[in-house]
Amino acid sequence: MLQEFDRLPEGLLDCDSRRLAEQLGMPTLIHLSGAREPALFVSVLMHGNETVGWDAMRELLRDRLTRFGELRLPRSLSLFIGNVTAAACGVRHLPGQPDYNRVWPGSDLEPCIEQELMARVTEIMRQRGIFASLDLHNNTGINPHYACVNRVENPFLRLAMLFGRTLVYFTHPTGVQSMAMAALCPAVTVECGKVGDRRGIEHARRFVDAALHLTELPDHPVKPQDIDLFHTVARVKVPETVRFGFAPADADLLLDPELERFNFRELPCGTPFARLRNGEVRGFEVRDTEGADVGERYFRIEDGEIRLRRPMMPSMLTLDETVIRQDCLCYLMERYAGGLPELSR
């Protein structure tokens, strides 16, 4: 399920994400030599409908070829191109496939061949050595651009700050690329807004270029005033047995069609998220980072509405019903109160 190259396959940069399956046929790891070692690891298309990573890498590499006649990278680069078959269909993952960003080492899903694939990629990169790891994503809902870390350590924060000052620390879900790579090097996931937004592609491209030019990731302490750091505390899903929607005709759980406006806003207690048409229908399924049911901690039902029980900040709210089913409705966040490290090492 994995092929490796030590050069760019001919014609690859002419392919948009939907044509990669024709060109590559399977997940592909490409190692490109640069002036410094070890390599920067970049993963794209963990979700087939999130094209920003491949769009940004195509432009970055084509620009260097145009300018120099060769790549002439300031640092070696290992590029992992993930779910090309889902990308051909423009979907997150195909029916019967797992989510490619839930099957990396540390996953709690049932064993599958995709887990073997990601374990192989991780082991290859462990043996080769990695300077840092970047995983490039789009959001389906309206969100600001932000970076995610799985460790609150200065090199991780410094890497994330190359992307912006809005950072999210999370430890769940498991099996994500950044969490697997965090055992090997500073690692971040970046969320670059909606698919096709030129600002997201440019932002991702500048971020990768900046990381390629780094000589080191210092352990200098980060000042609290330099970042906005949030901590994911719960994941909100709609139960599989509940019919939901944004129009009242077919939904037992009627979601607010303006939900996306709540993303990255600190909402007050009592903010409504949805209305229940049937009093016997269960509301949201809410799990904390340990998997415990914490629905009553964060939501209450009042006058037929599901409302926040306490002030919270949601992220990744979307109106895409397929994504809500395949992943979740949103994550709930609080400002990180753990304090920033003085020295990580």
Side-chain angles (χ1 to χ4, degrees):
M1 282 188 66
L2 176 70
Q3 62 185 343
E4 282 186 87
F5 295 101
D6 59 7
R7 56 175 176 76
L8 282 172
E10 185 176 352
L12 183 66
L13 298 184
D14 296 325
C15 296
D16 63 20
S17 61
R18 286 183 177 264
R19 294 173 54 206
L20 285 172
E22 301 173 19
Q23 177 81 2
L24 298 174
M26 66 183 70
T28 300
L29 183 58
I30 304 172
H31 306 291
L32 304 172
S33 296
R36 297 188 189 94
E37 295 284 353
L40 177 72
F41 180 72
V42 178
S43 58
V44 303
L45 292 172
M46 292 302 97
H47 299 139
N49 60 343
E50 297 179 15
T51 60
V52 66
W54 175 239
D55 292 340
M57 295 307 298
R58 279 178 77 199
E59 292 190 8
L60 185 150
L61 296 173
R62 289 170 77 174
D63 179 65
R64 297 195 71 85
L65 287 171
T66 299
R67 280 196 291 157
F68 304 122
E70 58 184 356
L71 286 176
R72 202 178 297 180
L73 293 168
R75 178 176 291 280
S76 291
L77 170 69
S78 290
L79 174 64
F80 178 57
I81 304 172
N83 198 340
V84 294
T85 53
C89 300
V91 296
R92 184 181 179 93
H93 59 78
L94 296 177
Q97 283 184 330
D99 187 320
Y100 269 39
N101 205 32
R102 302 292 184 271
V103 291
W104 290 79
S107 173
D108 57 9
L109 298 183
E110 289 296 317
C112 60
I113 194 169
E114 289 83 3
Q115 287 186 18
E116 296 176 16
L117 165 68
M118 302 314 178
R120 175 69 178 145
V121 173
T122 304
E123 178 59 19
I124 289 170
M125 295 312 304
R126 186 192 67 78
Q127 293 181 10
R128 295 177 67 95
I130 318 177
F131 172 67
S133 171
L134 316 179
D135 189 23
L136 310 180
H137 286 258
N138 285 112
N139 284 141
T140 50
I142 299 171
N143 291 267
H145 296 180
Y146 62 97
C148 302
V149 297
N150 307 117
R151 298 189 183 188
V152 182
E153 299 176 6
N154 288 317
F156 288 72
L157 299 176
R158 291 282 176 190
L159 181 62
M161 288 169 65
L162 283 181
F163 189 72
R165 64 171 292 125
T166 303
L167 313 182
V168 175
Y169 165 60
F170 75 93
T171 57
H172 190 84
T174 59
V176 299
Q177 187 269 47
S178 60
M179 205 173 294
M181 290 299 166
L184 307 179
C185 64
V188 302
T189 300
V190 294
E191 301 284 354
C192 305
K194 285 198 166 185
V195 174
D197 186 340
R198 279 298 312 171
R199 293 170 298 177
I201 297 169
E202 287 293 336
H203 197 175
R205 174 181 169 175
R206 290 194 306 271
F207 176 53
V208 175
D209 188 60
L212 282 169
H213 281 85
L214 287 174
T215 58
E216 64 175 355
L217 278 166
D219 193 32
H220 301 155
V222 173
K223 297 178 180 178
Q225 63 267 29
D226 289 342
I227 60 173
D228 292 313
L229 179 59
F230 302 95
H231 179 203
T232 298
V233 295
R235 186 184 194 196
V236 182
K237 300 187 71 171
V238 177
E240 290 289 339
T241 56
V242 172
R243 294 185 307 159
F244 76 93
F246 297 92
D250 301 316
D252 293 321
L253 179 67
L254 183 62
L255 297 172
D256 185 339
E258 300 296 321
L259 270 181
E260 285 187 3
R261 76 185 191 277
F262 291 160
N263 281 325
F264 280 83
R265 288 179 55 191
E266 293 177 288
L267 303 175
C269 175
T271 300
F273 270 57
R275 175 169 288 278
L276 294 171
R277 293 181 65 203
N278 182 342
E280 298 181 359
V281 170
R282 183 183 176 188
F284 298 145
E285 178 183 295
V286 188
R287 302 279 177 180
D288 66 11
T289 57
E290 304 299 322
D293 186 342
V294 292
E296 292 188 0
R297 183 186 305 171
Y298 295 108
F299 291 99
R300 68 173 187 264
I301 297 175
E302 184 177 323
D303 297 328
E305 288 186 327
I306 302 177
R307 300 179 182 177
L308 278 177
R309 186 181 289 276
R310 58 202 296 174
M312 295 301 302
M313 175 182 283
S315 67
M316 299 185 77
L317 280 163
T318 177
L319 305 184
D320 188 318
E321 296 183 16
T322 300
V323 171
I324 292 171
R325 279 293 186 211
Q326 290 183 337
D327 188 27
C328 66
L329 176 64
C330 70
Y331 293 89
L332 298 178
M333 304 186 300
E334 297 174 337
R335 287 193 177 270
Y336 183 72
L340 299 180
E342 289 299 315
L343 290 174
S344 301
R345 297 192 288 269

